[in-house]
Each structure stands twice: as structure tokens, then as C-alpha cells.
Amino acid sequence: MTDRAQAAAAASRARTSDSSALLQNYVTPGLSGQSITTVDGKTSFTAALACEKTAKMLEVLAQPSSTGDLGTVRISRDTDFDGSFDSALTLPMPVSGICANGIISCTPGTWDACRYFQWNVDSTKALKLTQVDMPNLSSCYCINNSCGQDLAWNNLPSVLGDLGGGIVGALTSADPRYGVAQAQINGPVIDYVGAQSTACTSSPTVDQTAYVSNPAAIQGDAASQAANNSIFQMLKGSPAGTGKLAETRSCTIQREVTITSPSYDDIVTAAGSFESVTVCGAGCRIYRIGGTGSCDAPPPTFSGRFTVSKPDRLLSARLTDIQTADWLQARVNGSIVASAGDHPWLTDALPSDCGTGDNHSANPNTDLVALVRQGAVTVDARIRAHGSHKTGYLDVRIEVDTGCGATENLVDLCSGYAGQSQCQLQGETVDGVQTVVGGAHTGLTPLPQTRLFGSASCTLSLTRDFFERDRSYRCILDNGATPAPDLSRDAYIIDHSTETLLADQTKSADGTVATTTSAFSMPAEPSVPACEAICKTRAPVTNTAAAPAGVTGVQQNEPTGWDIFYHTCSTDNVCPAGPGEQIVSACGCLNEFPEAAVMMQTVRLAGADLSCDASAP
């Protein structure tokens, strides 16, 4: 068994021992459609993972300036996947804020005179920035000194990821065949490895991009596949899948906004003896209440009843005009408020004269708003008249607000977790900006968001501190209620066993305890090397690298140097030196840590000299 294990390990190590082996045996064949062989070499297959590939589909360099803005942003692309950059774009403006789909450029070091740009792709698939209004951008945050000192430097990996993510989103949205296989950050540079999908077609519309237009469908498809997979169901029902001591629970705090644009009839309900109803505007009606009177006692009364369902939208309600042949008395909820006739009629008693035939009018302009907002209001017109002129009426004018309105409701689904001592906040994203990662605050604060709500006929722009918070809590499930396991048997075995004797203690169903002893011996341990034997070699090399000043080697006193290599030795302790390599250190347990530390420190300090920050003299 030992020999088989060692042989399997040697075969696996030969194919996966370093990055070169992985690229040669798996990554490159998989992306290029060549044959891939299993570790034991017995089976081969072809996996066409991509039609075209490039080691660097996209490279973004961001250099913060002394004001905290990104003073230099250079974007290089390999558009035809031939392995070399053929498109370059340098932003002509400083970057003061980062958004999920664009950037914000302001006066350096301040948040004044800001302009807003969204990542887009033109008809030739070239990357560009389009100036837009703030509501078209999402998940924005400030990075220059107006919001804090050295925010861009302190959060450079996050800033590069958000900046590059917006660019990648615009590129892949324009042509979904292309995907990002890997992203790697190296100082102020982020590189993206890309490949073209297996569709191998010139059309960007392929079956593999179905989830781009309908991302929610992937959840149902994944659930369907999992429900029919026996291995998934077995793991889901296992103790490892159900008996966790801690769980990660996700929740949201959302601002729900409802846009309303009610009509006049949605606000006011009117019923009664109306001679006419006149429209005086989108939110205005004039109700004429009246009819034919008489000199009988009591005189006829004509009524109108008004009910307002949305009191906050009532702008005006007035008794504006009275017209009558003889006498008219106006009442509101049974109380006399105005009259028209030869003299005021402000009591329940009837006027002594009737049927004079004279026309009388009044303009009381009585304000009814307070009464109508409190509840239903009844307006009466009592008419006393005789002869050929018996009619009379009064006008009630009501105006309401039928414009767009918004109601907000903050739905907090996290309050239950936040109030539990066993639950700790692990992560939080506010409108796409990560404010908490791994239980620690990032220091980034999202800017107030402006969003449009409603439809084409009714649109409102609302600016709020946030619209959605996505949180994750880690909650401890073991609260001490679980009984402690019985470890008496384990303790007995450990306390009473020796190197040659195994003692045991068992308990039967009736509670009887039985003890046993038996001979015991451990199998011989195989010999294990003190380390993995490696060797160190070197090969001469001439420095032919080119720079703006010319070939680097020309600037050096000695243009020839050495390339250093480290190789894993074979099982027979032979160093696999390459062509032209000289063995510096033979196979053995080499300790090159001091040299490696010096080299890494040299590279770090050299990299620091290539950039400067606010702390530099």
C-alpha cells in the first residue's frame, strides 16, 4: 500500500508540482482544445473550454495622487485574443469616486464641480466613458481627501476591483461570449485573464448567454439539478450539512417606495342634489346644489355630501356663490353659515315675505377645509320662493392635489439577528459598497443615492442615505442545551492501555460494565525523508530587456547575469538540471530563506520607489 501511495503521489507531483506543469498539462490544453490526460496516464479526453484565450485580456493601472484622487488611470486591452495589447485608453480626468458601473470626477481633493461618467462600449467594441446623470450610476463612494486621508491607498485592492469590475461589466454586457477567467492584483495594477466561450460563433447572441438576460433563472435551474442529484441530497441530509454549531444568516434592510398618482375621484366622493358638476381643472370641481323652492313651511332643502379619503391631498374647499329668486339659506352639517335675500336669514324662523320675485346673490367664500378633513360634510340649501321665480342654488368649489406622491416603508429583516447576543455582524454591503468585511469595517461610506421611481406618466427622483443594506450574521447555535457526550469509555482506554496492551470497557443494555484486555502493537512506521530534496542551478543570461531609454543591458557595466532555478530532485536523488544550467547546490535539504527574504525586500523597496503618496517628502 505504501508503494502504491508513493507511486500515485509521484505521478500527481509530476503533473501538478508547479505552475508550469499545471499550465502545460491542464490549463493550456483545456483552453486550446488539446488532449488532457489523467494523472495515471491511462485516459485522455478533449475539453474545449474556450475558442480563444489571452493571458491578459485587460490590464488596469491606477495611481493615486496627493489629493487622494486617482491621478492616472490607464486601461490596456487585448481585443482579438492574440496575446498582446492592441487598445489603450488613458482617462483624461481625475477619478474622485468609484461606482459599480462608472466613475465620478470632481475638482481634485474636493467634492465640487463633479461630473458623472458611465462605462460603455461603442459600435466597434471600444471602451468609452459616457457622461450621465447621477441616478444612472449605482454603488458609488468617495476616495479623495475630501472624505478621508489616503482612502485610495489604504483600500487599493478594493478600489482596483471595483474599478475593473465596472469595465469588465461593460465589456461582457456588450458581448457576452467573452468571460473573465481570473483577476490578479499586483500593486497598483489589476490583470484579467479572459477567454471566448465555447459557442465559437461571430454572433454575440448564443445559448450560453441566456442567464445574462434572465439571471434569476439560474436559481431555479440549480435547484432542479440539485433535487435530482443523489450525492447532493445525501450531503444535505448528513450531520455535516445539518448539525452545524454556527450558521451564517443573511438578511436585508430595504427601503420600499410606492409611487401614487390618484385621480380626483380617488380623493373626493360626492353625492346629493346636484344641479351640475363643473370641471375647473385636473384637481378641481364645482358642485351646484339647489332646485325649486316654495313658500310652504318648512321650505324644501337640497343637500350635497362630501367625503375625502386622502385628507392630506385636499387643497381647498369653499362655499363660493349663492343665487336665489327670493330666499336661500346655506347650512354646513346643520349649522347656518350664509344666506341670500332682502335681509340676512340666519335663524330657523322663516322670513315673513315670500314670492317677491327679486333676484338675490351672495359670495360668502366660507372655508370648509378643516371640516372636510375631519370627516364627511353635508352642505344644505334651504330655498323659500314663490311665483314664477322659485329656483335657487349654491356652489361648493373643491380643489385637490392629483400629482405624484411617494410613500416609504423601511423593512428591517435584520432586527431579530441584531438583537441576539449569539449573532455577530460579519458582512455588510450598502447599495453595493462593502462597509463590513469579516466583521471589520472597511472605512468606506456610500454616498447618498438618487433613484427614479414610477412610470413615464408619474416619475419621482428620491435621494436617500441608502436604499438597501445586505447583511450576514454568524450565529452560534450551541447554547449549552446539548448534553455532553459520555467519554468514560475513551478515558478508560487511554488510562489503562499500554504500548503492547489494549484495554477496553463496554456497557451492555442492562447497564452492566465489562472490561477486556488484548495484545496490541502498532505497525512499523515507514522511513520519511527529513525534507523534500531540491537542488539549485544557474544559467547565464544576457539582459536584453528594452526600456524608453534603450536596451537595459547597455546601461549596465556587466550586461550578462545569471538566472537562478530550483528543481525537485528525483527519487534516486538526481538533479534534473535544464540545458545550459550549472548545479550550484546538489540535492539535499536546502535553506534559501535568507536569500529569498533579501530578494523580496529588494523588490518591495524598488516598487515603493516607483510611486509616491501623501507621506512622501
Side-chain angles (χ1 to χ4, degrees):
M1 182 178 296
T2 301
D3 294 340
R4 290 172 56 192
Q6 290 178 347
S12 176
R13 184 171 54 192
R15 302 183 65 82
T16 62
S17 58
D18 52 35
S19 59
S20 298
L22 284 172
L23 287 172
Q24 178 182 354
N25 295 319
Y26 297 108
V27 178
T28 300
L31 291 175
S32 60
Q34 301 174 4
S35 177
I36 299 177
T37 305
T38 56
V39 173
D40 58 8
K42 298 179 179 180
T43 305
S44 61
F45 58 93
T46 301
L49 301 179
C51 298
E52 297 176 292
K53 62 181 176 58
T54 177
K56 287 186 179 181
M57 181 187 77
L58 175 69
E59 180 181 89
V60 181
L61 179 145
Q63 178 68 50
S65 64
S66 60
T67 62
D69 307 84
L70 299 184
T72 301
V73 176
R74 188 175 67 245
I75 305 166
S76 304
R77 291 179 56 204
D78 179 5
T79 60
D80 53 8
F81 291 87
D82 64 352
S84 60
F85 292 133
D86 50 38
S87 174
L89 172 65
T90 300
L91 299 191
M93 74 286 287
V95 177
S96 310
I98 306 293
C99 301
N101 57 340
I103 64 169
I104 300 175
S105 179
C106 309
T107 302
T110 72
W111 204 250
D112 301 327
C114 295
R115 295 177 295 163
Y116 310 100
F117 299 90
Q118 183 176 4
W119 294 113
N120 278 313
V121 177
D122 62 19
S123 58
T124 63
K125 300 297 187 295
L127 186 68
K128 67 176 183 178
L129 280 173
T130 303
Q131 189 164 351
V132 297
D133 295 330
M134 180 64 175
N136 294 95
L137 302 178
S138 62
S139 305
C140 302
Y141 57 93
C142 171
I143 61 172
N144 67 13
N145 289 349
S146 67
C147 303
Q149 193 71 21
D150 291 336
L151 282 178
W153 277 118
N154 296 336
N155 299 277
L156 192 57
S158 176
V159 170
L160 285 171
D162 293 339
L163 185 64
I167 299 173
V168 170
L171 295 175
T172 55
S173 297
D175 194 342
R177 294 173 302 163
Y178 303 114
V180 175
Q182 182 183 0
Q184 182 176 359
I185 296 177
N186 183 15
V189 177
I190 183 170
D191 296 320
Y192 291 91
V193 178
Q196 187 181 9
S197 70
T198 57
C200 302
T201 173
S202 60
S203 173
T205 304
V206 293
D207 294 339
Q208 288 86 339
T209 63
Y211 294 127
V212 174
S213 58
N214 186 18
I218 196 171
Q219 297 180 0
D221 293 347
S224 177
Q225 291 292 330
N228 298 323
N229 189 289
S230 59
I231 297 178
F232 179 88
Q233 295 300 325
M234 179 182 65
L235 292 175
K236 180 181 177 181
S238 67
T242 59
K244 299 178 180 178
L245 293 178
E247 284 185 351
T248 299
R249 298 173 180 175
S250 301
C251 60
T252 59
I253 303 175
Q254 290 184 325
R255 189 183 304 276
E256 292 185 348
V257 179
T258 303
I259 302 299
T260 58
S261 178
S263 65
Y264 181 91
D265 294 331
D266 293 332
I267 302 172
V268 178
T269 302
S273 304
F274 300 135
E275 288 189 350
S276 65
V277 179
T278 304
V279 177
C280 49
C284 179
R285 300 289 188 274
I286 299 176
Y287 299 89
R288 180 158 292 179
I289 305 172
T292 302
S294 72
C295 290
D296 299 333
T301 300
F302 305 91
S303 301
R305 187 173 178 83
F306 304 93
T307 305
V308 176
S309 59
K310 296 178 174 58
D312 58 311
R313 286 184 172 267
L314 178 63
L315 301 178
S316 174
R318 294 183 177 275
L319 173 60
T320 59
D321 186 41
I322 298 177
Q323 298 288 336
T324 183
D326 286 333
W327 301 91
L328 189 147
Q329 185 181 77
R331 298 190 178 199
V332 177
N333 286 345
S335 300
I336 303 171
V337 296
S339 68
D342 284 340
H343 55 78
W345 178 21
L346 301 177
T347 65
D348 291 335
L350 301 178
S352 59
D353 51 341
C354 181
T356 62
D358 295 330
N359 291 324
H360 301 282
S361 64
N363 301 103
N365 200 28
T366 304
D367 191 353
L368 308 177
V369 169
L371 291 174
V372 176
R373 284 178 177 168
Q374 292 175 4
V377 171
T378 300
V379 180
D380 299 329
R382 298 179 70 202
I383 302 175
R384 182 172 171 79
H386 182 68
S388 59
H389 302 286
K390 298 181 179 180
T391 61
Y393 64 84
L394 59 82
D395 288 341
V396 176
R397 181 187 178 97
I398 298 180
E399 297 181 28
V400 298
D401 178 13
T402 58
C404 295
T407 58
E408 299 183 31
N409 183 29
L410 202 61
V411 181
D412 187 356
L413 302 180
C414 298
S415 58
Y417 301 137
Q420 298 180 18
S421 59
Q422 66 269 29
C423 294
Q424 300 295 327
L425 180 63
Q426 291 295 300
E428 181 185 60
T429 301
V430 181
D431 291 335
V433 179
Q434 283 189 327
T435 57
V436 178
V437 175
H441 290 272
T442 62
L444 299 176
T445 302
L447 299 174
Q449 299 290 302
T450 301
R451 296 187 181 181
L452 297 177
F453 296 90
S455 59
S457 60
C458 179
T459 303
L460 282 181
S461 176
L462 300 180
T463 301
R464 298 293 184 267
D465 291 339
F466 76 94
F467 285 93
E468 180 174 347
R469 294 178 182 268
D470 297 290
R471 289 179 172 178
S472 61
Y473 287 85
R474 184 175 182 270
C475 298
I476 305 299
L477 300 182
D478 185 9
N479 57 5
T482 304
D486 183 6
L487 301 179
S488 58
R489 181 183 181 187
D490 306 73
Y492 182 86
I493 294 174
I494 295 174
D495 293 341
H496 297 80
S497 298
T498 64
E499 295 179 357
T500 59
L501 185 68
L502 176 63
D504 197 1
Q505 175 181 273
T506 58
K507 182 183 293 185
S508 61
D510 58 2
T512 304
V513 176
T515 60
T516 60
T517 56
S518 59
F520 173 77
S521 62
M522 291 289 293
E525 296 182 1
S527 59
V528 178
C531 67
E532 183 180 37
I534 62 173
C535 60
K536 178 180 179 181
T537 64
R538 69 176 186 176
V541 60
T542 301
N543 193 344
T544 59
V551 179
T552 306
V554 177
Q555 314 296 324
Q556 298 175 330
N557 295 331
E558 178 55 58
T560 301
W562 299 93
D563 279 345
I564 304 299
F565 304 93
Y566 293 91
H567 301 283
T568 300
C569 296
S570 61
T571 54
D572 53 356
N573 215 33
V574 175
C575 179
E581 296 181 18
Q582 305 173 9
I583 297 178
V584 178
S585 300
C587 293
C589 297
L590 303 184
N591 181 7
E592 300 289 333
F593 180 78
E595 182 178 352
V598 171
M599 294 173 63
M600 289 188 292
Q601 181 73 344
T602 301
V603 173
R604 187 187 71 82
L605 294 176
D609 289 340
L610 297 178
S611 62
C612 59
D613 56 23
S615 62

